[in-house]
Amino acid sequence: MNHKAPRTYELNEKPPVPELIPLCLQHVLLFLASTLAIPLIIGSSLGFSSAEITLMLQCSIFIAGVGTILQSLGVGPVGNRLPIILGATFTFVTPAIAISQAYGFPAFIGASLVCGVAVALFGAVSVKFIRKVFPPVAMGCVIMVIGLTLVSVAVGYCAGGSDSPTYGSLQNYGVALFTLVIVIVLNAWGKGFVKGASVLIALIAGFLLSAALGMVDFSSLNESSWFSLPQPLHFGISFKLPAIIIMALLTLVNLVEFLGDTSTVAFIAANRVATKEDLSRGVVCDGVASILGALFNSTPTISYSGNIGLIGVTGVKSRYVVAAAGGFMVVLGFIPKLAAFLSLIPTPVIGGATLVVFGSIAANGLKMLGQQQLSERDMLLIAVSLAIGLGFSATPTALANYPFYVSALINGIPGTAFSAILLNLILPKDKAVSAASEEDTQVESK
């Protein structure tokens, strides 16, 4: 008897609705696990009321949904039609608090708006330059460091989160291991939809286990309303030059990470190197989403590496799945109680599910490097950029005496990217490589 094998979905394929919903829901859950703490940390540090913090969370989810739909489906020159989740980023948590304490939260909103406009304009007119200074070898290094950096985050989640009183407990590790094993088993032996939804199934199973162990507190649901409209510019807006300068520096960090993520998802979902159109339209969309984020009381946006890793783990590459996840987030932006329910998933469950997801990002960076014909120049670029990015990431106290933006520019992903870009500009190129690069540029411009 001949059985038809269950399918996975390529970049431009549309799954049927019964499969689309759970496939997009696991993206939503992974996104929420990464973003819920951002408005909570900022709001709590600035003394906002619980209603104001809820509003920030609601607006963050709503804008993430809008940005994700624009990025994955595309509208004219906005959006690169790749399966990328956009949302608020931890990069701006510390500057949001510092700027707000010095000049007020409206000054942070104003600086975010200015930088969002600058990013959108940069994407529209200057991204061709990026392909010259940020070659596939540099992209491979950045992708590896994105994965390796996030793996340490996942381990912290497995332990329960650094602010947890039960951090590192056997129960936390046990729940994380239970979730991890389910992801591994379903990916190794599952087929079709079961494999594609492996992370969602593991999250549900881990949530049920942790609830049975008394690790889930449902009382917080009583504080959330069923329906509420996002309110633009609730805190007001102002423009202060020092705030704009600080935000501009960190926007460079954000931009570099976005370029690395775009390179990753193009490689995973489309099996190719990111084109200048991918980069240009993607950066424009990130700028537009960051503008909307500022107008709706949130931070600038960034691509979510964890969701890109999820694509690599499940093999579900459809941009329509991610667009549906964006639609779900837009709906959540109007229903705070539902968003609050999804946020109840314990940190160890998230950690167990994301260990494989984040590890797959590093593996894809290694795969991209393995597909290049590496010269001695390339090996030197790889060695130095990885050493700087990972070295300072492993020893954060080495930069403790310097302003936070120095650490932000040298540590981890930005340090790897900026080192690779600088070395690519100053190291002498082999004549054959230069000729090939020139030929590629001419082909692209036609």
Side-chain angles (χ1 to χ4, degrees):
M1 193 171 175
N2 197 12
H3 294 286
K4 187 178 179 182
R7 304 177 54 193
T8 56
Y9 295 97
E10 298 301 321
L11 179 64
N12 293 308
E13 291 184 316
K14 300 178 182 178
V17 172
E19 292 188 22
L20 179 68
I21 293 174
L23 290 176
C24 80
L25 187 57
Q26 62 186 351
H27 276 286
V28 174
L29 293 176
L30 197 57
F31 158 78
L32 288 175
S34 303
T35 197
L36 289 175
I38 295 173
L40 180 62
I41 294 171
I42 295 175
S44 299
S45 300
L46 299 179
F48 291 169
S49 67
S50 59
E52 289 174 324
I53 293 174
T54 300
L55 174 64
M56 289 180 66
L57 172 60
Q58 178 186 0
C59 290
S60 294
I61 296 173
F62 172 71
I63 292 304
V66 173
T68 298
I69 293 171
L70 285 174
Q71 191 71 276
S72 52
L73 296 184
V75 178
V78 180
N80 55 22
R81 285 81 169 168
L82 292 172
I84 294 175
I85 298 276
L86 290 180
T89 168
F90 276 98
T91 301
F92 295 102
V93 169
T94 301
I97 296 169
I99 290 171
S100 299
Q101 289 173 341
Y103 306 105
F105 190 65
F108 170 73
I109 295 297
S112 298
L113 179 63
V114 171
C115 290
V117 172
V119 168
L121 291 175
F122 175 80
V125 301
S126 302
V127 171
K128 289 181 183 179
F129 174 71
I130 295 172
R131 285 297 304 275
K132 295 180 181 178
V133 300
F134 202 55
V137 171
M139 292 178 183
C141 291
V142 172
I143 292 168
M144 275 190 66
V145 174
I146 289 172
L148 294 174
T149 302
L150 289 173
V151 164
S152 65
V153 174
V155 171
Y157 285 171
C158 290
S162 58
D163 58 346
S164 171
T166 60
Y167 184 81
S169 70
L170 186 60
Q171 184 182 57
N172 287 343
Y173 284 128
V175 169
L177 179 61
F178 173 79
T179 309
L180 172 63
V181 168
I182 292 177
V183 175
I184 294 173
V185 169
L186 294 182
N187 268 277
W189 290 281
K191 297 192 183 223
F193 172 75
V194 172
K195 181 176 181 178
S198 59
V199 173
L200 175 62
I201 295 170
L203 286 170
I204 293 172
F207 177 80
L208 293 175
L209 174 62
S210 56
L213 295 173
M215 297 172 65
V216 182
D217 180 12
F218 292 95
S219 62
S220 60
L221 292 178
N222 297 326
E223 301 172 8
S224 303
S225 60
W226 278 105
F227 180 81
S228 177
L229 291 173
Q231 300 174 27
L233 293 179
H234 173 79
F235 300 95
I237 187 168
S238 65
F239 300 94
K240 304 289 184 181
L241 184 59
I244 293 172
I245 292 173
I246 292 172
M247 288 294 290
L249 289 171
L250 291 172
T251 296
L252 287 175
V253 176
N254 219 32
L255 185 59
V256 167
E257 184 174 348
F258 178 81
L259 295 174
D261 281 342
T262 302
S263 303
T264 307
V265 77
F267 188 73
I268 293 174
N271 198 29
R272 58 173 170 77
V273 173
T275 66
K276 67 173 186 280
E277 287 80 13
D278 293 333
L279 300 175
S280 175
R281 292 172 177 170
V283 171
V284 170
C285 185
D286 189 40
V288 170
S290 294
I291 293 170
L292 294 174
L295 294 175
F296 280 85
N297 319 296
S298 187
T299 73
T301 60
I302 188 59
S303 44
Y304 272 51
S305 303
N307 291 87
I308 295 171
L310 178 63
I311 295 168
V313 169
T314 62
V316 178
K317 306 169 185 177
S318 171
R319 61 194 178 100
Y320 296 100
V321 169
V322 170
F328 201 99
M329 286 185 268
V330 170
V331 173
L332 284 179
F334 293 97
I335 310 175
K337 192 176 287 289
L338 185 54
F341 176 75
L342 294 175
S343 71
L344 294 178
I345 301 174
T347 304
V349 177
I350 300 295
T354 54
L355 264 177
V356 179
V357 169
F358 294 158
S360 73
I361 297 174
N364 275 286
L366 184 61
K367 183 179 179 181
M368 178 179 278
L369 290 176
Q371 292 184 347
Q372 309 301 316
Q373 294 183 343
L374 300 177
S375 64
E376 291 184 6
R377 176 185 184 276
D378 293 332
M379 292 298 292
L380 180 60
L381 184 151
I382 293 169
V384 175
S385 58
L386 288 180
I388 290 176
L390 293 176
F392 281 103
S393 181
T395 53
T397 54
L399 298 172
N401 295 328
Y402 296 87
F404 73 89
Y405 57 81
V406 174
S407 174
L409 293 171
I410 296 176
N411 196 353
I413 299 164
T416 302
F418 289 141
S419 300
I421 289 171
L422 182 61
L423 289 171
N424 184 57
L425 291 173
I426 64 176
L427 291 177
K429 290 185 179 180
D430 180 80
K431 290 184 180 178
V433 173
S434 298
S437 177
E438 232 175 89
E439 188 180 336
D440 288 343
T441 304
Q442 290 172 358
V443 169
E444 284 187 354
S445 63
K446 290 180 181 178

